[in-house]
Amino acid sequence: MKQLKFILTGVLTALSPLFVHTQSIRQNFDLGWQFSENKGNWQQVNLPHDWDIHHAPKADAPTGNDGGYYPAGYGCYKKTFTAPILKQGDALKLHFDGVYQNCEVYINGQLAGRHGYGYTPFHIDITKLVKDGQNEVEVRVDNVGQPSCRWYSGSGIYRHVWLETYKTNAIDDPKKLFVSTQQLYNISANGTRADSARLSIEYDGKPLETRLMKDVRLWSPEHPVLYDIKVGELNVKHGFRTFSYDAKNGFVLNGIPTIINGACVHHDNGVIGAMSFDAAEIRKVRLMKEAGFNLLRTSHNPQSAAFYAACDSLGMMVIDEAFDGWYTQKTPYDYHLLIDSCYREDIAAMVLRDRNHPSIVCWSIGNEVIERKELRVVQTAKNLKSTILKYDKTRPVTEALCAWDSDWEIFDPHAEVLDIVGYNYMMHKAESDHERCPERVMWQTESYPRDAFANWKHTTERPYIIGDIVWTGLDYLGESGIGQFYYEDETAGEHYLRPHFPFHGAYCGDVDITGWRKPISHYRDMLYNIKEGDTGYIYLAVKEHPDFHKRGGKISETMWSVWPTWESWNWPGMEGKDLEVEIYSKAPMVKLYLNGKLLSSGKPSVGNKYILTVPVPYEPGELRAAAYDADGREYATTKLITAGEPYAIRLTPESDNLKVGASDLLYVILEIIDKNGNVCPNAAIPVDIAVSGSGTLLAAASSNFKDLEPKTSNHVTTYKGRALVVVRSGMKKGTVGISAKSANIDGNLRIKVK
């Protein structure tokens, strides 16, 4: 109950922005837009908006395999508004948190400004272009040049927009304010408190004041405490924390040695595409927190302001990454077209917006750059790092390095630029690198999911390796086919070798796009967060047998996949055949039972990687695993039960708190269940969704990346008995009704909109 209480408290805090203006000088500008795609008909929309996700993936779509087979193209948004009354010297600006991409902003028909990079925030000064009475803003978005990304980007004004008034000589510009912890005094032994703390406050690059605060609670993933710090017209949420890193002591947070268990995450929000609602960002971070991670890497671009606020509030460290590539292209229309003219502006936008977030512990300047063997790469890294240090000297700078051939040591001059060196799939070089460069601090910025145990062991045994960051925490759209397993009658090979349509997403995440934690997630969580001998944790899953789907042949894995393993004891047609059952635990003893009969017992250990694999001849019923202490007492148990025929549709809301105003989301888990409430794990049933009352349907989809139904349609076919429904709140208080119907079964849910 304590954990639940903590999570709910964190969510409520995260709903508040990092900065609050103490007077009404910032207005939300999301509602009441018109939108036209490819110069077609106009329609009413509210932001955030991503026009791509409303389409079905198509084999000939210009974004291709990398982009998830979505159309991209050209879009136009317009809105009328009344400008606030300005005093002499005041400035009026539109703040866009993200537009993908190449946008132009017009006010009353006149060009007000442009922005190229789709992932950084930007301001457009409209002071001299507005007039008394009604004004019109028009935003033209050119995402025609494709492919522009190696993953799903989405298209449009997919993050929040704000109308901001700035006063003459006032301290009211968030990007100019920098509040940092200068010194903590007498940190407690458990790293949760300090007797006092000295704050450094800068504005517009100049020291403004210092403050001494007494008896402060410290920010960490376990205790994400935030304080309100008022400066001028602004109120910033600040977390007191200190950290250090070196090759001898590793990563130390608030005086406590901390092993980083990290995950890479892309910016998209799965079934709703790139749309960045606060509730979606909070949910993303919550799912990663519940999966046991303590750090997220924003691969490979800055994410939304709401994402970092959620990390602050829920307790999640962050590597904030600027770019995927630099001067040499990875795709024809990527950042190489912008870097010369825009990198200073884009780094400034990232750092100035994000530097007050206590969750951010490191900046990253790039990822697997193509020109890594060219001499200029070292100077580029220096240029990017120096641009960051112009705005923030309190955090280290990293970059994700890699090698796809035998050359690695030649990158030492490049690595020397970095404070912490990122290794993508290169942990096997760590020991020899440490002998050659004993002061180097390393973390694996990308790793294969199947290598969880080896990477955990490397990290826990070598202080100069401060963490492992898996690719990825969540399934995502684009990079179609990465992480797939396949039968002989399916498209073979890695995602970068050939098109994998209809596959239009990445199945390499620990958590799928409906929020279901795969067995690999439970395994990784156990490795990092359960102590040896802990009797309170046990997990049970079953590996898919190649004969189950009656295709013949074998199951093949790809580099980023793990073997298909499910929380299921429904294997019709497999009676009498051995199925491999996996038990994850660090208890002194575990036992496995089938229909009450003891089948096997064993001791989890480092030697067996804390996995007990038991061949079990399949028969329906109850499969149960139990954990025992050293004295033979049963302390924890888990079971899988053979489900009967589909009997009903169960709709389970992830929250009962839906706020009025068209900006909040309700996530609802849809499950096909038998008459006893067991999920039917093989159910692939078409379901129609209807939403009534004070809300609208935003998305309904399963985690099946071969299903080509648009994610935003009201029709979904369950996968493994499960799907996800997302409802957007309406403009009036009341009740939202959700119904799910198939040919023979149905389910209903009602939630109040407050």
Side-chain angles (χ1 to χ4, degrees):
M1 293 303 295
K2 288 184 179 179
Q3 183 181 10
L4 178 61
K5 182 179 180 181
F6 154 72
I7 289 175
L8 292 176
T9 302
V11 169
L12 294 175
T13 305
L15 288 171
S16 302
L18 175 69
F19 287 100
V20 177
H21 292 85
T22 54
Q23 298 186 22
S24 299
I25 61 175
R26 192 184 206 212
Q27 303 173 31
N28 183 278
F29 212 60
D30 287 346
L31 304 182
W33 291 78
Q34 290 183 297
F35 169 69
S36 173
E37 182 178 356
N38 294 322
K39 301 180 181 179
N41 296 327
W42 291 91
Q43 56 181 295
Q44 295 289 328
V45 300
N46 294 318
L47 308 180
H49 181 256
D50 169 15
W51 77 70
D52 272 333
I53 201 62
H54 294 272
H55 292 268
K58 292 185 178 179
D60 61 351
T63 59
N65 204 66
D66 282 349
Y69 300 99
Y70 286 89
Y74 177 87
C76 187
Y77 298 82
K78 62 183 181 181
K79 172 177 175 169
T80 57
F81 68 101
T82 301
I85 297 174
L86 301 177
K87 296 181 180 180
Q88 182 68 31
D90 288 354
L92 187 65
K93 299 181 181 181
L94 281 170
H95 172 85
F96 295 84
D97 199 32
V99 180
Y100 203 91
Q101 71 176 351
N102 297 317
C103 75
E104 296 179 333
V105 179
Y106 292 81
I107 300 293
N108 300 321
Q110 298 185 62
L111 179 65
R114 298 184 174 92
H115 189 74
Y117 193 31
Y119 295 117
T120 45
F122 60 97
H123 283 80
I124 301 293
D125 192 329
I126 62 174
T127 310
K128 297 180 180 179
L129 298 179
V130 294
K131 59 186 180 181
D132 293 339
Q134 292 290 296
N135 293 269
E136 182 181 74
V137 56
E138 182 180 1
V139 182
R140 302 173 186 175
V141 184
D142 184 353
N143 197 21
V144 174
Q146 292 297 327
S148 65
C149 223
R150 294 188 302 113
W151 54 86
Y152 177 88
S153 66
S155 297
I157 311 178
Y158 67 103
R159 296 178 182 167
H160 293 308
V161 180
W162 306 88
L163 183 64
E164 299 177 340
T165 304
Y166 294 92
K167 301 178 182 179
T168 306
N169 299 322
I171 298 175
D172 60 0
D173 189 343
K175 67 180 181 295
K176 293 182 179 180
L177 180 64
F178 187 22
V179 179
S180 60
T181 303
Q182 192 176 55
Q183 184 72 46
L184 294 175
Y185 301 95
N186 297 324
I187 298 174
S188 63
N190 62 3
T192 62
R193 307 187 77 92
D195 286 351
S196 59
R198 186 173 298 279
L199 278 180
S200 171
I201 301 175
E202 299 177 9
Y203 190 77
D204 202 13
K206 301 178 179 64
L208 188 66
E209 62 173 302
T210 59
R211 295 182 189 176
L212 185 67
M213 302 187 67
K214 296 184 177 181
D215 190 24
V216 296
R217 293 180 294 163
L218 304 186
W219 186 96
S220 70
E222 294 77 20
H223 304 281
V225 180
L226 298 173
Y227 287 80
D228 290 319
I229 307 296
K230 186 179 182 301
V231 184
E233 301 288 324
L234 299 169
N235 187 76
V236 60
K237 292 190 176 297
H238 180 73
F240 294 95
R241 54 108 178 99
T242 183
F243 65 88
S244 63
Y245 54 93
D246 59 58
K248 181 178 179 180
N249 300 296
F251 184 82
V252 179
L253 178 64
N254 299 330
I256 306 299
T258 302
I259 294 174
I260 289 172
N261 174 28
C264 298
V265 289
H266 274 311
H267 77 290
D268 76 275
N269 282 305
V271 301
I272 65 170
M275 290 184 280
S276 179
F277 290 84
D278 289 11
E281 304 293 8
I282 292 167
R283 181 179 189 263
K284 176 189 289 183
V285 178
R286 175 178 60 80
L287 290 174
M288 296 292 89
K289 182 88 175 179
E290 291 172 351
F293 295 112
N294 62 10
L295 178 141
L296 299 178
R297 174 187 175 217
T298 67
S299 48
H300 303 290
N301 49 262
Q303 301 202 8
S304 71
F307 169 84
Y308 302 102
C311 290
D312 290 347
S313 188
L314 292 176
M316 182 67 74
M317 294 185 288
V318 177
I319 301 172
D320 203 0
E321 190 156 275
F323 311 120
D324 182 29
W326 296 345
Y327 284 96
T328 302
Q329 73 176 52
K330 294 183 178 180
T331 62
Y333 293 91
D334 67 11
Y335 198 72
H336 80 281
L337 298 175
L338 299 173
I339 184 169
D340 262 334
S341 58
C342 295
Y343 83 81
R344 294 177 184 86
E345 170 192 344
D346 287 324
I347 284 180
M350 176 184 77
V351 178
L352 292 175
R353 183 196 64 178
D354 297 344
R355 62 185 176 174
N356 285 289
H357 289 283
S359 56
I360 296 176
V361 297
C362 192
W363 306 107
S364 173
I365 55 176
N367 173 69
E368 299 180 357
V369 296
I370 299 299
E371 64 267 37
R372 53 187 170 271
K373 293 187 179 181
E374 300 177 21
L375 290 176
R376 64 173 175 169
V377 76
V378 177
Q379 187 59 50
T380 303
K382 290 179 178 178
N383 292 342
L384 298 179
K385 180 180 179 179
S386 65
T387 307
I388 287 176
L389 295 179
K390 180 179 178 182
Y391 307 105
D392 179 22
K393 295 181 176 66
T394 70
R395 295 174 174 90
V397 174
T398 192
E399 181 192 336
L401 306 184
C402 70
W404 304 127
D405 53 29
S406 60
D407 291 330
W408 173 252
E409 290 75 14
I410 65 169
F411 302 138
D412 280 356
H414 190 171
E416 287 176 6
V417 178
L418 309 172
D419 302 305
I420 304 174
V421 182
Y423 284 51
N424 277 13
Y425 314 102
M426 298 299 297
M427 193 72 89
H428 59 281
K429 289 287 189 179
E431 289 183 87
S432 58
D433 284 4
H434 179 64
E435 292 178 5
R436 189 177 70 259
C437 309
E439 301 301 317
R440 181 181 294 181
V441 181
M442 318 165 188
W443 47 20
Q444 188 160 220
T445 34
E446 290 182 27
S447 65
Y448 297 115
R450 66 162 62 94
D451 292 339
F453 178 81
N455 292 328
W456 167 79
K457 199 167 184 292
H458 266 85
T459 302
T460 54
E461 293 176 349
R462 296 164 177 82
Y464 54 87
I465 305 173
I466 63 173
D468 177 58
I469 305 164
V470 70
W471 189 272
T472 56
L474 279 161
D475 285 354
Y476 56 94
L477 299 174
E479 284 194 278
S480 307
I482 186 174
Q484 72 162 338
F485 59 90
Y486 58 91
Y487 286 84
E488 289 186 350
D489 61 346
E490 296 178 299
T491 304
E494 301 296 336
H495 64 289
Y496 52 79
L497 293 176
R498 60 184 60 85
H500 286 271
F501 188 84
F503 221 108
H504 57 278
Y507 199 68
C508 53
D510 276 22
V511 180
D512 76 16
I513 61 169
T514 71
W516 179 70
R517 291 179 63 186
K518 303 173 190 176
I520 185 63
S521 171
H522 294 274
Y523 180 61
R524 191 186 318 279
D525 187 11
M526 175 197 66
L527 289 175
Y528 283 90
N529 299 307
I530 301 298
K531 295 181 179 180
E532 179 89 36
D534 191 322
T535 56
Y537 180 88
I538 190 165
Y539 178 81
L540 178 65
V542 182
K543 297 177 72 172
E544 185 169 315
H545 194 287
D547 293 342
F548 177 59
H549 290 290
K550 299 181 176 59
R551 287 168 159 164
K554 62 178 183 177
I555 296 173
S556 296
E557 293 187 61
T558 49
M559 293 170 66
W560 282 268
S561 74
V562 294
W563 190 273
T565 307
W566 312 103
E567 295 172 356
S568 171
W569 197 238
N570 277 65
W571 304 95
M574 298 298 295
E575 286 78 6
K577 292 186 178 181
D578 281 351
L579 300 179
E580 289 191 24
V581 175
E582 292 190 335
I583 306 168
Y584 310 153
S585 183
K586 288 187 177 179
M589 175 66 70
V590 299
K591 296 182 180 181
L592 182 66
Y593 301 85
L594 177 58
N595 295 325
K597 180 183 178 181
L598 177 63
L599 296 182
S600 180
S601 61
K603 296 181 179 181
S605 67
V606 170
N608 55 34
K609 302 181 180 180
Y610 300 109
I611 302 176
L612 264 66
T613 302
V614 183
V616 178
Y618 176 66
E619 66 176 59
E622 179 186 275
L623 187 69
R624 186 175 79 92
Y628 296 81
D629 68 9
D631 295 323
R633 291 174 294 188
E634 183 179 312
Y635 266 73
T637 187
T638 184
K639 58 188 177 182
L640 301 173
I641 297 175
T642 305
E645 293 299 314
Y647 179 79
I649 299 174
R650 181 166 61 202
L651 297 172
T652 305
E654 293 187 349
S655 168
D656 61 358
N657 187 24
L658 186 61
K659 293 182 175 62
V660 71
S663 296
D664 201 11
L665 302 181
L666 176 70
Y667 284 84
V668 180
I669 303 300
L670 184 156
E671 295 169 307
I672 307 298
I673 58 173
D674 69 7
K675 64 180 180 181
N676 295 317
N678 301 307
V679 176
C680 301
N682 299 324
I685 294 178
V687 179
D688 290 318
I689 309 296
V691 175
S692 60
S694 302
T696 56
L697 179 68
L698 185 62
S702 75
S703 60
N704 180 8
F705 281 127
K706 293 185 178 180
D707 187 344
L708 296 179
E709 185 74 22
K711 304 284 188 274
T712 54
S713 84
N714 70 334
H715 181 79
V716 60
T717 299
T718 59
Y719 179 69
K720 303 296 179 182
R722 180 183 171 98
L724 181 67
V725 176
V726 186
V727 175
R728 186 174 190 170
S729 62
M731 296 302 295
K732 296 181 179 179
K733 295 181 181 179
T735 302
V736 59
I738 306 163
S739 69
K741 295 183 179 181
S742 72
N744 301 310
I745 55 177
D746 60 19
N748 295 278
L749 176 69
R750 297 181 72 81
I751 294 287
K752 288 185 178 180
V753 179
K754 302 174 184 179

